[in-house]
Amino acid sequence: MKIGFIGLGNMGGPMAANLVKAGHAVAGFDLAAPMPEGVAPAASATEAAQGADVVITMLPNGAILRAVADQVIPAMAAGAVFCD
């Protein structure tokens, strides 16, 4: 499964790494956090979402979540799942 993961901080980073260990292709984006091993870096949240079967966000608050959702949902493939 192809997964876009946005928000790779204290919670999201380990979650994305576990998805990689489980055999999924994970593209990740974060403004500041380091990229977990095995996660392909995306240049933007929108890029991480493009072509993904599932887009997962692990963001610090609702305002940031809404702003990111406004960017990525239009870029997602038909039938893809958005999960926060």
Side-chain angles (χ1 to χ4, degrees), residues 13 17 44 65 68:
S44 67
L65 170 61
V68 169

Side-chain angles (χ1 to χ4, degrees), residues 70-82:
D70 287 345
Q71 294 173 24
V72 302
I73 290 173
M76 291 172 61
V81 175
F82 183 87

Side-chain angles (χ1 to χ4, degrees), residues 4-68:
F5 208 109
I6 303 160
L8 300 167
N10 291 335
M11 290 179 64
M15 292 169 70
N18 283 335
L19 290 167
V20 170
K21 289 176 189 172
H24 300 289
V26 180
F29 177 75
D30 195 287
L31 292 174
M35 196 63 50
E37 187 175 335
V39 175
S44 67
T46 301
E47 183 179 300
Q50 291 173 333
D53 302 303
V54 177
V55 176
I56 300 170
T57 56
M58 188 57 60
L59 299 167
N61 64 52
I64 295 170
L65 170 61
R66 284 188 291 278
V68 169

